[in-house]
Amino acid sequence: MTPLVLGFDIGGSLIKCAVVDITTGQTRTEPIQVPLPQPATPTAVFAELRAALGREKWHGPVGVGYPGVVKNGFTLTGAHLDRSFIGLNWLDDLRKLTAQPVALINDADAAGLAEIRFGAARIFAAPDAGTVLLVTLGTGIGSALFHGGRLLPNTEFGHMLMGEREAEQWAAGSVRIRENLDWPAYGARVGRFLREMEKLVSPDLIVVGGGVSENFALFGPHIDIGCATVPAELGNRAGLIGAALAVTEE
Ligand code: BGC
């Protein structure tokens, strides 16, 4: 198979895509981003993906990161998308994009795959490696859990209840902006969430991803936990790189 895959990352407000060399994890084209259509129905999002393939003149394999639970090609949740995604075999539709292999994977799981193969968690890729937790702090909170380099998909820790609110309604990157939190206050919230996670899964490393991780230096020092906690290395590209990598997992 060609090592080049078109990777998509469908987020809460944008769709990003780029051609990825899956042998190196490098993007081969400058990532392009378009607004997520509103309402974000399966047909409207599919049309955006097809338009991107047209723009890139792309006929090769495609990997798609989706912001919700994905099982066997079915999109089972999607808090920031139109309800008509729920219970849909969207992979069947996506296969109409190209005659080449197509993968559909949760967006945070995709970012985790990219970070464990090529980024901040790469020393945890071996079969005898410990537990890595990646969280993405964006519109929502996504999570990816690895042990021995293997992914346990669809962990959805962002929906854990913290008091009355789900963690993602309390510590997502979007909440920092909405509630106008300063960096220390935001770091303290992320720390409280990660302390709960630490109790539950005893990670050896926590990787913090999502748009806000670019500012890790500002809020990271306020995350008060025992486990080593580092920012994602692949930044905003991790999701689309990992979605491309997922094609080889099919
Ligand atoms: C979804 C997750 C997703 C995360 C980040 C959450 O609302 O349930 O599946 O990974 O947002 O997009």
Side-chain angles (χ1 to χ4, degrees):
M1 194 177 99
T2 151
L4 298 184
V5 176
L6 186 63
F8 283 97
D9 186 7
I10 302 172
S13 49
L14 294 171
I15 301 174
K16 300 191 212 84
C17 85
V19 176
V20 178
D21 181 336
I22 57 171
T23 57
T24 62
Q26 305 278 323
T27 46
R28 283 286 190 87
T29 56
E30 204 39 45
I32 293 174
Q33 50 188 48
V34 295
L36 184 71
Q38 293 303 336
T41 60
T43 317
V45 179
F46 180 90
E48 287 298 342
L49 304 192
R50 194 167 46 196
L53 260 74
R55 276 195 304 272
E56 298 283 339
K57 301 188 176 39
W58 187 254
H59 302 287
V62 171
V64 178
Y66 172 85
V69 173
V70 178
K71 277 193 141 183
N72 305 319
F74 285 80
T75 46
L76 298 185
T77 67
H80 311 287
L81 301 176
D82 191 75
R83 289 190 54 78
S84 50
F85 262 108
I86 312 299
L88 180 74
N89 187 341
W90 203 40
L91 182 57
D92 251 7
D93 294 337
L94 294 178
R95 288 200 172 111
K96 296 175 193 135
L97 285 170
T98 168
Q100 297 284 316
V102 178
L104 179 61
I105 181 174
N106 171 265
D107 58 351
D109 286 345
L113 279 182
E115 290 292 334
I116 205 159
R117 297 267 168 80
F118 300 111
R122 59 189 173 278
I123 59 165
F124 283 85
D128 59 352
T131 302
V132 177
L133 171 68
L134 171 125
V135 293
T136 59
L137 307 173
T139 309
I141 292 184
S143 59
L145 188 66
F146 294 84
H147 184 76
R150 282 179 64 90
L151 172 69
L152 174 68
N154 294 311
T155 44
E156 296 292 328
F157 293 135
H159 294 289
M160 184 175 67
L161 276 180
M162 309 228 12
E164 300 278 289
R165 291 203 257 178
E166 290 190 351
E168 78 167 18
Q169 293 159 355
W170 192 70
S174 57
V175 177
R176 186 189 69 81
I177 295 165
R178 200 164 57 235
E179 297 189 17
N180 201 15
L181 298 172
D182 62 20
W183 290 113
Y186 183 64
R189 281 198 187 190
V190 174
R192 224 189 101 197
F193 166 55
L194 293 181
R195 273 199 302 282
E196 291 303 312
M197 292 313 315
E198 197 178 20
K199 275 192 239 161
L200 297 176
V201 301
S202 302
D204 299 295
L205 177 72
I206 296 177
V207 180
V208 177
V212 78
S213 64
E214 286 169 14
N215 291 303
F216 189 81
L218 300 175
F219 70 93
H222 304 278
I223 299 177
D224 180 17
I225 56 171
C227 179
T229 306
V230 297
E233 276 181 18
L234 303 172
N236 261 341
R237 298 184 180 197
L240 63 90
I241 293 171
L245 294 177
V247 167
T248 59
E249 317 267 306
E250 291 291 287

